[in-house]
Amino acid sequence: MITDAPPRKANQRAGFLESDRIKTLDLPQDGRLLTCAKSIEAAMKVETGVDVRRACADFLAVTSESYKTTTCGVRVLAARPLRVRENWTTELFGDYTPETMLIRLWMRTAVRKEFTSFGTFLSTLCHEFCHHLDYQKFGFHDSWHTRGFYERTAALYHHARGTPPKKLFWVPTSGERWRIDWPRTNRTTPPVG
Ligand SMILES: [Zn+2]
């Protein structure tokens, strides 16, 4: 995972820096997302797009209610469409269009047609929903991939999956960007509780 470079324009930069700073997300105080995530996993096992879509819609109904945002739509596609927004290069398994508030997820990769694993699929769903939150909860004019964005996404993902959150370690890279130091992140024992 690598962050976007900060925008050049000063007025956009302020929003970017704020997104970078917000490293936590209030999480729903019940187990509903865990239940929804298990339904997605079960639906993926039998590979029916209709059931996967319904389970994702249930998931998004809970998150939208929790964060008091408009519910965003979701479409589950068999394979990645050939034409995707080229500037969002990190979106390998899904995308989000702010104008229509629609998340698209695909169950297979574009080239090799391999099935997306449940973990990747759920992580993508959380990622795309966090784009929705950026516009609808935080009121940003754009939804950048900042360190804060990835931290918020990870918090939601681990909550939904029922796994302990990891502390993410970042290292600076070219163009004022950051990337996750995975060896260090994975080596660190997760905090208890
Ligand atoms: Zn993204």
Side-chain angles (χ1 to χ4, degrees):
M1 274 189 270
I2 188 161
T3 64
D4 294 332
R8 297 228 172 91
K9 289 182 185 163
N11 58 339
Q12 289 184 14
R13 213 174 161 94
F16 181 95
L17 292 176
E18 198 185 341
S19 166
D20 193 52
R21 244 187 334 260
I22 304 172
K23 297 221 162 60
T24 56
L25 193 62
D26 291 332
L27 297 164
Q29 295 298 307
D30 56 42
R32 282 190 295 165
L33 283 186
L34 192 64
T35 308
C36 292
K38 284 196 192 319
S39 300
I40 295 171
E41 185 172 23
M44 282 183 82
K45 279 194 182 128
V46 287
E47 298 173 17
T48 51
V50 179
D51 292 340
V52 175
R53 198 209 75 83
R54 191 179 302 127
C56 289
D58 289 346
F59 184 96
L60 293 170
V62 173
T63 52
S64 299
E65 187 197 310
S66 298
Y67 297 107
K68 299 181 174 55
T69 64
T70 314
T71 305
C72 52
V74 62
R75 232 173 250 165
V76 175
L77 308 174
R80 180 183 175 169
L82 288 176
R83 289 188 63 209
V84 290
R85 293 169 63 167
E86 284 168 18
N87 52 334
W88 289 32
T89 48
T90 51
E91 322 290 297
L92 289 175
F93 304 104
D95 65 8
Y96 170 76
T97 309
E99 293 79 17
T100 53
M101 295 194 288
L102 179 72
I103 288 175
R104 294 191 305 175
L105 302 166
W106 25 98
M107 293 173 66
R108 288 173 198 257
T109 55
V111 180
R112 301 180 64 187
K113 305 284 180 206
E114 283 167 355
F115 265 96
T116 309
S117 71
F118 165 66
T120 302
F121 191 83
L122 182 65
S123 159
T124 304
L125 177 62
C126 294
H127 178 114
E128 305 307 340
F129 179 75
C130 282
H131 280 311
H132 182 67
L133 277 187
D134 273 5
Y135 294 100
Q136 300 297 322
K137 174 182 162 68
F138 296 110
F140 297 139
H141 295 296
D142 204 339
S143 181
W144 305 272
H145 301 101
T146 60
R147 285 175 298 176
F149 177 86
Y150 285 121
E151 303 262 4
R152 297 192 292 277
T153 302
L156 184 62
Y157 168 79
H158 285 294
H159 172 75
R161 188 111 198 236
T163 45
K166 281 178 184 166
K167 176 168 172 43
L168 303 179
F169 288 92
W170 295 93
V171 280
T173 179
S174 63
E176 294 182 76
R177 295 182 302 167
W178 296 83
R179 65 171 174 78
I180 289 185
D181 180 344
W182 281 115
R184 195 164 171 216
T185 295
N186 288 332
R187 202 162 52 228
T188 308
T189 314
V192 178

